[in-house]
């Protein structure tokens, strides 16, 4: 938004105010200017629309102020309509490039991300040296980010940071880059958790299978398989815990929400399996000792 231009326009209007105080068109425009400078956006929109109804105020300056007032008031649909009208009626205006940029911003704010990307990309192609060029790159990146196209978004954020390090949008771009990097790490961790969960389910089934076999067979081979299942369960639990600590560390950064890992119920089940394994081992050892004692008696 060209605030310097707006300042010049407003200064000129206030300077000539005494000469046009009786003119209804100028009076409406002045009311809009006063509301605009005071930050009363609702009143500014109302007065500027009223002013624009007069033929002498139906010009680029009035509509450019109206567009900005509508954006500041949060009425992006009206601002978009005003942008479209401006670009049709005031082609070649000094404000045309700014209005193209604002049109793209309106599309983004309305959630029409594809149209925002197209409009702001056109702006970048047409006005490469414009003051709002870095901001256009940022908002294109934001549109990609909103559509989960993180790689495309990161490329634009990195461009702003590297080519325009002093621009007002550079810190926001750096933050987004770090956020996307954290998200990539989170996805890798969650993938590992998923893989570990599948291994855990397999190990649990194998353990239960060996436990059933033990109830009818106490030979050395079954005992060895049961011990192996117990060992795998313990390893998987430790692996779960290690990965969960990393996910918790990401949560502690508060940069973006982290998807949940293994549930408390799953971890509790692991703990119960370990207890059962210990109990089974105790039973095996007790029976083994009894068998040895019986063998000694027979001898």
């Amino acid at each position: 938004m060209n605030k310097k231009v707006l300042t010049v326009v407003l200064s000129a209007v206030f300077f000539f105010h005494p000469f046009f105080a009786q003119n209804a068109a100028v009076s409406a425009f002045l009311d809009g200017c006063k509301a605009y400078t005071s930050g009363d956006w609702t009143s500014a929109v109302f007065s500027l629309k009223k002013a624009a109804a007069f033929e002498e105020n139906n010009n680029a300056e009035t509509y450019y102020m109206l567009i900005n007032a509508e954006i500041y008031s949060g009425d992006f649909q009206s601002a978009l309509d005003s942008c479209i009208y401006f670009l049709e009626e005031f082609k070649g205006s000094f404000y045309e490039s700014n209005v193209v940029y604002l049109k793209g911003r309106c599309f983004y704010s309305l959630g029409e991300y594809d149209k925002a990307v197209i409009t702001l990309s056109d702006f970048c192609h047409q006005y490469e040296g414009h003051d709002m060029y870095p901001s256009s790159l940022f908002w294109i990146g934001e549109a990609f980010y909103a559509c989960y196209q993180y790689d495309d978004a990161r490329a634009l954020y990195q461009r702003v940071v590297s080519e325009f390090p002093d621009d007002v949008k550079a810190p926001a771009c750096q933050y987004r880059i770090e956020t996307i990097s954290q998200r990539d790490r989170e996805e890798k961790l969650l993938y590992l958790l998923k893989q570990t969960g599948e291994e855990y389910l397999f190990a649990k089934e194998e353990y239960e299978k060996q436990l059933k076999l033990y109830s009818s067979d106490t030979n050395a081979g079954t005992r060895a398989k049961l011990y192996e299942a117990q060992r795998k369960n313990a390893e998987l639990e430790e692996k779960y815990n290690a990965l969960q600590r990393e996910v918790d560390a990401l949560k502690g950064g508060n940069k973006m929400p982290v998807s949940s890992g293994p549930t408390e119920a799953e971890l509790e089940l692991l703990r119960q399996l370990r207890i059962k394994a210990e109990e089974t081992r105790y039973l095996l050892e007790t029976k083994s000792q009894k068998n040895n004692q019986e063998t000694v008696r027979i001898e």
Side-chain angles (χ1 to χ4, degrees), residues 238-249:
E238 179 56 32
K239 191 173 181 180
Y240 254 134
N241 292 336
L243 289 172
Q244 188 62 53
R245 283 193 293 270
E246 291 192 57
V247 173
D248 291 340

Side-chain angles (χ1 to χ4, degrees), residues 28-290:
F29 184 68
L30 282 173
D31 289 341
C33 291
K34 289 178 181 178
Y36 190 100
T37 54
S38 65
D40 184 357
W41 308 119
T42 301
S43 297
V45 169
F46 175 80
S47 298
L48 289 170
K49 282 185 175 180
K50 181 179 178 181
F54 293 94
E55 184 177 354
E56 53 265 52
N57 287 332
N58 188 19
N59 53 47
E61 286 73 19
T62 302
Y63 267 90
Y64 183 65
M65 289 183 64
L66 174 60
I67 290 169
N68 281 280
E70 287 172 332
I71 289 175
Y72 283 129
S73 70
D75 188 356
F76 296 106
Q77 184 59 60
S78 294
L80 177 61
D81 294 339
S82 296
C83 285
I84 293 172
Y85 177 83
F86 184 103
L87 295 172
E88 290 176 350
E89 297 296 322
F90 308 113
K91 293 181 180 179
S93 166
F94 177 76
Y95 310 101
E96 183 175 10
S97 59
N98 283 8
V99 173
V100 173
Y101 168 78
L102 293 174
K103 180 182 176 183
R105 285 289 313 277
C106 289
F107 276 132
Y108 174 83
S109 298
L110 291 169
E112 298 186 51
Y113 301 121
D114 290 343
K115 292 181 180 179
V117 169
I118 293 171
T119 303
L120 292 170
S121 295
D122 288 343
F123 172 87
C124 290
H125 291 312
Q126 295 178 42
Y127 310 104
E128 190 170 351
H130 200 282
D131 290 344
M132 304 309 295
Y133 185 84
S135 291
S136 292
L137 294 177
F138 171 77
W139 287 110
I140 295 172
E142 288 291 274
F144 282 134
Y145 188 91
C147 295
Y148 308 104
Q149 297 175 242
Y150 299 114
D151 290 338
D152 293 328
R154 175 163 42 199
L156 289 163
Y157 297 142
Q158 289 174 335
R159 187 176 173 189
V160 174
V161 171
S162 61
E163 296 182 19
F164 309 97
D166 297 326
D167 188 81
V168 66
K169 292 298 184 184
C173 287
Q174 185 61 48
Y175 174 79
R176 282 297 198 201
I177 292 170
E178 294 172 1
T179 298
I180 292 172
S181 296
Q182 179 180 334
R183 185 182 181 282
D184 289 343
R185 178 164 176 74
E186 175 202 345
E187 286 188 339
K188 290 177 183 177
L189 284 172
L190 293 177
Y191 173 77
L192 289 174
L193 283 171
K194 180 177 179 294
Q195 293 296 104
T196 305
E198 292 174 354
E199 292 177 19
Y200 153 69
L201 290 175
F202 177 80
K204 182 174 78 72
E205 291 173 0
E206 183 65 18
Y207 173 81
E208 291 176 346
K209 178 182 176 182
Q210 297 302 326
L211 196 59
K212 288 179 181 178
L213 286 174
Y214 169 73
S215 64
S216 60
D217 186 359
T218 58
N219 62 43
T222 302
R223 186 185 303 117
K225 290 180 180 180
L226 192 60
Y227 285 157
E228 178 63 17
Q230 177 192 2
R231 183 187 64 78
K232 286 184 179 179
N233 282 332
E235 289 179 354
L236 286 172
E237 182 178 8
E238 179 56 32
K239 191 173 181 180
Y240 254 134
N241 292 336
L243 289 172
Q244 188 62 53
R245 283 193 293 270
E246 291 192 57
V247 173
D248 291 340
L250 284 177
K251 287 182 180 179
N254 292 324
K255 291 186 176 180
M256 68 182 300
V258 179
S259 302
S260 60
T263 64
E264 286 297 325
E266 290 174 329
L267 292 175
E268 178 60 28
L269 184 55
L270 275 173
R271 287 190 285 269
Q272 291 176 5
L273 284 172
R274 290 190 67 183
I275 293 171
K276 287 181 180 179
E278 291 294 335
E279 292 174 351
T280 303
R281 185 176 63 179
Y282 173 77
L283 290 173
L284 283 170
E285 291 175 350
T286 302
K287 288 191 175 185
S288 178
Q289 290 174 1
K290 288 182 179 179

